[in-house]
């Protein structure tokens, strides 16, 4: 079946058969559209159907409207399906993100609960530790006071020891004040100490030297709690300053002690042998008889043969041998221009060039050389000149 639209002959002049069947000039024919029905092979009859143009056009319009509406709905349905799929995918992503967020939130909540619990536990521990720390601080403060007290006592003991040491040194030196150089040095040292005491100022020591009301070392602390930390610090500062002063004085004393030491060790003040002087220094009669007088440059000290002869002071042996008239002789150089001679010895122990100490045995009493019997001839020379040894015979061994 097919549709064919009748047109005027001027438009379709080639269709002759149709023009014969349909009158193109008919007014009624213009209002209809004829449809030719092609018969099947069985009947062989041809039929036609007239449809009003208005109906056909309305049908076509309705068809296109319906088609447009259906197409619109189809497009909308496709859009909504795509939108639904997109929203479904977004929903799944959102659901996954929400689930992840919920898990994370639950984990954060759990962590917050744990942190809160731990914080409360730590706060409790901190309170406990704070109390313990306060207790430790109190104990430390008490220990500090006790340590300060112990330090004060220790430093005071040091001061006492320093004073005893200095007093011992000064006393030891004072016993040797009979030696003229030592007497001068001790006098100079006492003046130096006095000047140091007067001149030592805080800027020299680096600390304030302000003695407390209680005299130094004149009061003993018997109860530690009765004194504050400031009072202990003040006393500690004072005794530290006193220690510094004592050390400065001790250093000054050491300087003088080193200057005096050579005199103590080398100055010939020791009796070479125990006994008495049988012949003194100066002019005397000839001991071998005859007329005339001779100058005796030393002193004679009688003693048994073989009695040890000791060095009157430390020094270096500059001669050990035989000298005419003196027999076996030893000469010791004591420094400071002083030399001593020991003559008529039965034998010499010290060798030339040897260093001998004060009181060391250097020879034995004899009667060699020009001698009337066993004795020690002892001389003292200062800068090459013989002087009276009596002034040097100050101490016995």
């Amino acid at each position: 079946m097919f549709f064919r639209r009748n047109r005027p002959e001027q438009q379709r002049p080639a269709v002759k058969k149709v023009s014969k069947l349909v009158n193109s000039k008919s007014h009624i024919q213009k209002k209809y559209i004829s449809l030719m029905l092609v018969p099947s092979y069985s009947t062989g009859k041809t039929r036609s159907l007239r449809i009003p143009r208005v109906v056909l056009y309305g049908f076509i319009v309705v068809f296109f409207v319906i088609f447009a509406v259906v197409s619109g709905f189809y497009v909308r349905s496709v859009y909504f399906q795509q939108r639904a799929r997109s929203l479904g995918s977004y929903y799944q992503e959102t659901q996954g993100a929400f689930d992840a967020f919920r898990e994370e939130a639950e984990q954060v909540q759990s962590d917050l609960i744990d942190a809160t619990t731990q914080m409360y536990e730590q706060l409790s521990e901190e309170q406990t530790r704070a109390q313990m720390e306060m207790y430790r601080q109190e104990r430390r403060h008490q220990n500090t006071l006790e340590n300060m007290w112990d330090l004060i006592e220790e430093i005071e003991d040091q001061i006492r020891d320093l004073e005893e040491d200095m007093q011992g040194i000064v006393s030891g030196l004072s016993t040797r004040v009979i030696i003229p150089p030592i007497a001068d040095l001790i006098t100079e040292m006492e003046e130096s100490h006095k000047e140091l005491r007067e001149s030592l100022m805080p800027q020299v020591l680096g600390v304030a030297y302000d003695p407390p009301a209680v005299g130094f070392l004149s009061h003993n602390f018997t109860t530690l709690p009765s004194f504050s930390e400031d009072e202990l610090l003040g006393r500690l500062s004072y005794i530290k300053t006193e220690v510094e002063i004592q050390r400065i004085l001790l250093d000054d004393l050491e300087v003088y002690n080193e200057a005096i030491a050579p005199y103590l060790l080398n100055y010939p003040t020791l009796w070479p042998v125990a006994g008495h002087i049988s012949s003194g220094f100066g002019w005397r009669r000839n001991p071998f008889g005859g007329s005339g007088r001779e100058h005796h440059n030393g002193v004679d000290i009688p003693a048994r043969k073989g009695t040890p002869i000791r060095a009157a002071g430390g020094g270096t042996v500059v001669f050990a041998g035989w000298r005419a008239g003196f027999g076996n002789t030893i000469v010791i150089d004591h420094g400071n221009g002083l030399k001593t001679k020991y003559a008529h010895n039965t034998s010499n122990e010290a060798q030339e060039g040897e260093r001998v100490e004060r009181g060391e045995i250097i020879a034995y009493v004899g009667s060699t050389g020009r001698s009337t019997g066993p004795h020690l001839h002892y001389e003292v020379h200062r800068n090459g000149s013989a002087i009276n040894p009596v002034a040097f015979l100050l101490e016995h061994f």
Side-chain angles (χ1 to χ4, degrees), residues 184-197:
D184 295 339
L185 285 173
I186 289 179
T187 301
E188 181 181 348
M189 180 189 67
E190 290 175 348
E191 293 177 354
S192 174
H193 278 202
K194 182 179 179 181
E195 292 176 359
L196 282 174
R197 275 285 187 180

Side-chain angles (χ1 to χ4, degrees), residues 196 199-209 241 244-245 248:
L196 282 174
S199 63
L200 285 176
M201 302 297 292
Q203 57 268 26
V204 177
L205 298 173
V207 293
Y209 185 57
T241 305
E244 292 297 328
I245 293 176
I248 292 174

Side-chain angles (χ1 to χ4, degrees), residues 19-33:
S19 62
K20 292 180 178 181
L21 297 175
V22 180
N23 189 0
S24 61
K25 295 180 180 180
S26 176
H27 178 74
I28 299 173
Q29 187 177 358
K30 293 180 180 180
K31 295 181 181 182
Y32 295 91
I33 295 176

Side-chain angles (χ1 to χ4, degrees), residues 185-385:
L185 285 173
I186 289 179
T187 301
E188 181 181 348
M189 180 189 67
E190 290 175 348
E191 293 177 354
S192 174
H193 278 202
K194 182 179 179 181
E195 292 176 359
L196 282 174
R197 275 285 187 180
E198 294 175 352
S199 63
L200 285 176
M201 302 297 292
Q203 57 268 26
V204 177
L205 298 173
V207 293
Y209 185 57
D210 186 16
V214 180
F216 179 68
L217 297 180
S218 63
H219 177 74
N220 291 325
F221 293 119
T222 56
T223 54
L224 180 62
S226 61
F227 294 92
S228 66
E229 183 175 353
D230 292 338
E231 291 174 333
L232 290 177
L233 287 173
R235 183 173 178 84
L236 184 60
S237 174
Y238 166 70
I239 62 175
K240 283 183 177 180
T241 305
E242 183 66 23
V243 167
E244 292 297 328
I245 293 176
Q246 294 289 343
R247 286 176 178 171
I248 292 174
L249 294 177
L250 185 59
D251 290 340
D252 186 67
L253 179 60
E254 290 295 334
V255 172
Y256 281 97
N257 192 30
E258 290 178 2
I260 293 172
Y263 295 101
L264 297 177
L265 296 175
N266 300 335
Y267 211 81
T269 58
L270 191 68
W271 280 71
V273 295
H276 64 281
I277 297 174
S278 60
S279 180
F281 178 84
W283 292 98
R284 67 176 184 176
R285 287 185 177 183
N286 190 336
F288 296 97
S291 60
R293 295 168 65 84
E294 64 177 7
H295 191 274
H296 193 216
N297 288 337
V299 294
D300 292 336
I301 304 175
R304 282 180 152 187
K305 185 178 180 180
T307 300
I309 300 174
R310 301 179 183 276
T316 302
V317 178
V318 294
F319 180 82
W322 184 275
R323 278 188 177 176
F326 293 99
N328 289 323
T329 304
I330 284 182
V331 178
I332 298 176
D333 186 353
H334 301 279
N336 299 302
L338 294 175
K339 292 182 181 179
T340 54
K341 179 190 291 186
Y342 311 81
H344 304 310
N345 310 328
T346 185
S347 62
N348 296 334
E349 284 293 319
Q351 303 297 320
E352 189 170 329
E354 180 182 353
R355 166 72 189 184
V356 294
E357 302 299 332
R358 175 187 178 87
E360 183 178 342
I361 296 175
I362 57 174
Y364 295 96
V365 173
S367 185
T368 58
R370 186 170 175 265
S371 172
T372 58
H375 72 282
L376 170 64
H377 174 77
Y378 177 61
E379 296 182 10
V380 176
H381 292 255
R382 175 180 287 164
N383 298 324
S385 300

